[in-house]
Amino acid sequence: MAENLSGSISATVDAVYRSDSRRVFATLVRLLGDFDVAEEALHDAFRAALEQWPREGVPANPRAWLVSTGRFKAIDSIRRRARFVALPPELLEGMEGSERETDAAPDPGGLSPADLEHFTSTDSDPSTFDADSVEDDRLRLIFTCCHPSLAADAQIALTLREVCGLTTEEIAHAFLTTPPTLAQRIVRAKGKIRDARIPYEVPTRETLPERLDAVLRVIYLVFNEGYSASSGGSLTRHDVSAEAVRLGRLLVELLPEPEAMGLLALMLLHESRRAARSSPDGEIILLEAQDRSLWDRARIEEGSQLVQRALTSRRFGPYSLQAAIAAVHAEAPDFASTDWDEVVGLYDVLLRVDPSPVIELNRAVAVAMRDGPAAGLALVETILDRGDLADYHLAHSARADLCRRLGRTAEARASYQRALELARQEPERRFLARRLGELPVQ
């Protein structure tokens, strides 16, 4: 019986960690003022939960309990550190090594006595904040991570790691870089925030628009990781994409700028197809074969309305245009009814606003649907011949499909094999392997 209870509590702690650990972390950063101190406090709080909840029961509000426990453990650690460094030098020299280990605590990152007094004041007590008052802590953290004094890549990497809890491997894949390089980028960014005393706050309304672009990029990268996981056995990570949508909604409430609305629309329109994108056993279902009755019409309606608001403002940008393209697909009653002329036209505008090889590839696929596979293949091969997207598996997959449709089996096989070598997500790998196996033997 005790073992069953312990296992149940462990499962509960694990579930709370998955759902709330980054919320707890964001609030601890606000209360403690330092990334590393907050991270240590987070882990201390969850260790305490594993020890205390089996005896005392799961608290009514686990998140508040974790915030309070983490905060007070951090304060205890800082106090021990303060007492340690205040001892006279002759006493420090006479201490035994075991006592040094006992009293040693994580470096509080240069926190002063004034900081400690702030942490221990009643105004900083987590119990004085209700759920609504701390709900936007991660948005505060995003703007801190996206401060203009940080390099653009560091802004995005730091937010993905610290706000959303993605691993360095997942972020490195999104950046097309190595995990050690990415980890050093994060360490440097955290050091810059600490040393420059970058404030943990949402910018003023006057400065907010100029800071918006980096925040939108962060949210979009988070959503992409959830909508199409960079690696692993699952096609999607609903918890990650749901977090991006929540942050997107919060941002629109805070600053209803056209591109914020455009990004939220784009995420909602993509999310509307989630239930139809994979089979019950996790296999990929392409857009043309999806059961559109499974699409979430409420999200499509909300996303389409946001697109219209963004476009009619005449201050739209790349997110609004991508959302407009998604809306064309979402509003078509079936795949054959898709208005490919409109899709290609929107891609033409998008390429002028935000030129990139990936957008060029997406346009080439749309051209193939409008004008035939030969027209699309010529565009894809131009991109690949330039050396762009040479390591992007979807570019080789697109070339393979167009060659297959044209009966160029040997070229299709080579491109499918290359795409399979580059793909890291298991459902995509299985899909590519099936396509490869379906090619006629020559």
Side-chain angles (χ1 to χ4, degrees):
M1 182 71 175
E3 290 182 359
N4 290 339
L5 177 61
S6 178
S8 173
I9 294 296
S10 294
T12 298
V13 172
D14 185 60
V16 172
Y17 186 88
R18 289 196 304 271
S19 64
D20 282 351
S21 63
R22 303 328 290 178
R23 289 184 175 93
V24 172
F25 173 75
T27 300
L28 286 170
V29 172
R30 172 167 58 83
L31 295 172
L32 300 172
D34 183 273
F35 281 89
D36 293 332
V37 174
E39 190 72 39
E40 184 70 21
L42 173 72
H43 294 305
D44 284 345
F46 274 97
R47 279 194 291 270
L50 286 170
E51 294 170 359
Q52 294 177 225
W53 291 5
R55 298 193 309 268
E56 304 170 5
V58 178
N61 189 334
R63 190 193 309 172
W65 187 96
L66 290 162
V67 169
S68 181
T69 300
R71 171 180 173 268
F72 283 112
K73 284 187 174 293
I75 290 171
D76 287 343
S77 174
I78 294 168
R79 282 173 170 160
R80 289 198 305 272
R81 177 68 173 175
R83 286 198 302 269
F84 181 81
V85 299
L87 291 174
E90 60 271 18
L91 291 181
L92 292 176
E93 292 172 0
M95 277 187 164
E96 296 294 331
S98 59
E99 293 176 332
R100 292 176 188 267
E101 292 176 2
T102 300
D103 283 342
D107 185 346
L111 297 173
S112 66
D115 294 324
L116 182 57
E117 182 180 353
H118 167 71
F119 296 154
T120 57
S121 68
T122 55
D123 289 341
S124 294
D125 189 340
S127 64
T128 65
F129 295 89
D130 61 24
D132 291 337
S133 70
V134 301
E135 185 60 25
D136 63 347
D137 275 336
R138 279 180 293 178
L139 187 61
R140 289 190 183 95
L141 185 54
I142 282 183
F143 275 104
T144 302
C145 293
C146 296
H147 195 274
S149 66
L150 302 176
D153 287 350
Q155 294 173 17
I156 297 170
L158 185 63
T159 305
L160 291 173
R161 178 69 191 94
E162 301 301 339
V163 180
C164 300
L166 273 65
T167 67
T168 53
E169 288 78 12
E170 290 166 339
I171 307 169
H173 179 72
F175 278 115
L176 301 179
T177 188
T178 64
T181 299
L182 194 283
Q184 284 300 312
R185 189 177 299 165
I186 291 174
V187 168
R188 287 193 297 270
K190 288 163 67 174
K192 175 85 174 202
I193 289 173
R194 182 181 61 248
D195 297 342
R197 294 189 175 273
I198 291 174
Y200 183 67
E201 62 186 13
V202 175
T204 63
R205 182 162 293 277
E206 289 72 24
T207 61
L208 198 50
E210 67 190 53
R211 301 271 301 278
L212 181 62
D213 186 57
V215 174
L216 294 177
R217 287 200 309 273
V218 168
I219 296 174
Y220 190 41
L221 267 177
V222 174
F223 178 79
N224 278 340
E225 179 61 33
Y227 183 72
S228 182
S230 60
S231 62
S234 176
L235 177 64
T236 64
R237 295 176 57 184
H238 176 63
D239 56 335
V240 176
S241 56
E243 173 64 16
V245 171
R246 192 196 73 83
L247 291 172
R249 288 190 188 281
L250 193 58
L251 189 61
V252 169
E253 291 173 11
L254 177 72
L255 185 71
E257 286 290 305
E259 275 295 82
M261 290 187 286
L263 176 58
L264 178 57
L266 177 60
M267 295 188 294
L268 289 170
L269 290 165
H270 282 325
E271 274 290 283
S272 72
R273 303 200 300 267
R274 175 183 291 279
R277 292 181 62 225
S278 61
S279 65
D281 56 356
E283 301 303 328
I284 291 175
I285 301 176
L286 297 180
L287 180 63
E288 60 198 72
Q290 289 176 13
D291 179 357
R292 300 190 176 211
S293 69
L294 298 176
W295 290 6
D296 188 329
R297 305 313 303 183
R299 282 179 172 164
I300 291 173
E301 179 66 22
E302 182 183 2
S304 297
Q305 289 179 2
L306 285 165
V307 169
Q308 289 302 315
R309 288 175 61 190
L311 294 181
T312 54
S313 74
R314 310 301 296 175
R315 295 187 292 116
F316 56 82
Y319 296 111
S320 301
L321 289 167
Q322 290 178 74
I325 293 168
V328 175
H329 290 297
E331 293 166 1
D334 51 58
F335 187 74
S337 302
T338 305
D339 189 341
W340 292 108
D341 268 336
E342 184 174 1
V343 171
V344 172
L346 286 167
Y347 271 124
D348 288 338
V349 178
L350 181 57
L351 270 175
R352 291 196 294 271
V353 171
D354 185 30
S356 81
V358 172
I359 293 173
E360 196 175 348
L361 174 67
N362 293 339
R363 179 185 179 278
V365 173
V367 168
M369 297 306 303
R370 185 189 68 178
D371 301 335
L377 180 60
L379 296 173
V380 172
E381 290 185 332
T382 297
I383 298 170
L384 290 171
D385 288 345
R386 290 200 310 258
D388 295 332
L389 306 182
D391 294 325
Y392 188 51
H393 72 283
L394 293 179
H396 296 279
S397 177
R399 183 180 186 278
D401 183 65
L402 295 173
C403 288
R404 177 186 63 83
R405 289 163 58 185
L406 290 167
R408 294 161 58 169
T409 304
E411 293 173 80
R413 179 173 287 106
S415 289
Y416 276 131
Q417 287 172 337
R418 180 58 178 154
L420 190 56
E421 291 171 0
L422 294 169
R424 298 178 58 192
Q425 186 195 86
E426 287 305 317
E428 286 185 329
R429 290 180 57 79
R430 292 196 298 269
F431 173 81
L432 292 168
R434 284 198 304 274
R435 285 293 205 197
L436 190 57
E438 291 166 358
L439 292 175
V441 178
Q442 292 182 323

